[in-house]
Amino acid sequence: AFLRNNNTLQALEAHSKMYEYAMKREDLDEWDRFILKMNHWSNRHGTSIGHALKTIFLIAFGSFLLLIFSSRGNSNYCVSEWFVKNIFDKSTLLFSILNPLSRTEEFKDILTANLTADKSLSFFQYLIIFLTKIGIGWGYYQFIAAFRKFGKNG
């Protein structure tokens, strides 16, 4: 009824409330409940741009920290020196993480910049990079889905 009257914002809000109600149903299987919870957490069922941005930055920052902590290197630094050496010097890694189309060689170059011997990534780091690309792409999709509410035509 809202869409017939070209009231897309209220139609989207009603759609979101329908999903919220469906999430609380007892007869819903666990996979559907999981999908609805992820959609609720990431962009409030298409109604919150802020939640979509939060999703993107949480995935990016969490992956950044996981990749930094999993990188090999000398750990005999004091905390402030380690922080500067790993966080500030590898800040370009965050931009590579935010680009789901970035090449794996970019990650390898950034993470192994201070190493002289073995310049390869571990399986765990490859897995983090792979899952991060999927998560960031999904976050961008959630952002676009939440942003569409301003441009939908009935």
Side-chain angles (χ1 to χ4, degrees), residues 23 30-40 45:
M23 211 168 31
E30 291 302 315
W31 182 249
D32 290 338
R33 188 180 315 277
F34 173 74
I35 290 172
L36 286 172
K37 283 184 181 183
M38 291 298 291
N39 197 4
H40 171 76
H45 303 294

Side-chain angles (χ1 to χ4, degrees), residues 55-70 86-87 90-104 106-108 110-111 125 127-140:
T55 300
I56 292 168
F57 288 114
L58 282 176
I59 291 170
F61 192 67
S63 299
F64 176 75
L65 289 178
L66 278 173
L67 285 170
I68 292 295
F69 288 134
S70 68
N86 285 295
I87 304 297
K90 295 180 180 177
S91 60
T92 56
L93 178 63
L94 196 54
F95 295 109
S96 294
I97 287 173
L98 286 171
N99 180 7
L101 301 176
S102 61
R103 298 176 338 166
T104 306
E106 291 178 34
F107 291 97
K108 186 188 289 186
I110 295 168
L111 290 170
Q125 288 172 319
L127 183 66
I128 292 170
I129 293 167
F130 175 72
L131 294 176
T132 298
K133 287 180 179 187
I134 291 172
I136 292 295
W138 175 71
Y140 288 156

Side-chain angles (χ1 to χ4, degrees), residues 13-130:
E13 289 292 330
H15 195 70
S16 175
K17 288 181 183 179
M18 179 187 69
Y19 283 141
E20 291 293 325
Y21 175 74
M23 211 168 31
K24 295 175 184 169
R25 286 183 27 203
E26 299 286 330
D27 61 341
L28 191 66
D29 72 48
E30 291 302 315
W31 182 249
D32 290 338
R33 188 180 315 277
F34 173 74
I35 290 172
L36 286 172
K37 283 184 181 183
M38 291 298 291
N39 197 4
H40 171 76
W41 181 77
S42 64
N43 71 358
R44 296 275 193 238
H45 303 294
T47 60
S48 175
I49 294 170
H51 278 268
L53 287 174
K54 175 190 73 170
T55 300
I56 292 168
F57 288 114
L58 282 176
I59 291 170
F61 192 67
S63 299
F64 176 75
L65 289 178
L66 278 173
L67 285 170
I68 292 295
F69 288 134
S70 68
S71 65
R72 295 180 304 275
N74 191 355
S75 60
N76 295 331
Y77 303 113
C78 67
V79 175
S80 61
E81 190 177 350
W82 180 89
F83 189 80
V84 168
K85 190 166 194 59
N86 285 295
I87 304 297
F88 288 130
D89 291 350
K90 295 180 180 177
S91 60
T92 56
L93 178 63
L94 196 54
F95 295 109
S96 294
I97 287 173
L98 286 171
N99 180 7
L101 301 176
S102 61
R103 298 176 338 166
T104 306
E105 286 79 25
E106 291 178 34
F107 291 97
K108 186 188 289 186
D109 293 342
I110 295 168
L111 290 170
T112 61
N114 296 332
L115 298 177
T116 55
D118 185 22
K119 292 196 174 245
S120 64
L121 298 177
S122 67
F123 173 77
F124 181 67
Q125 288 172 319
Y126 279 115
L127 183 66
I128 292 170
I129 293 167
F130 175 72

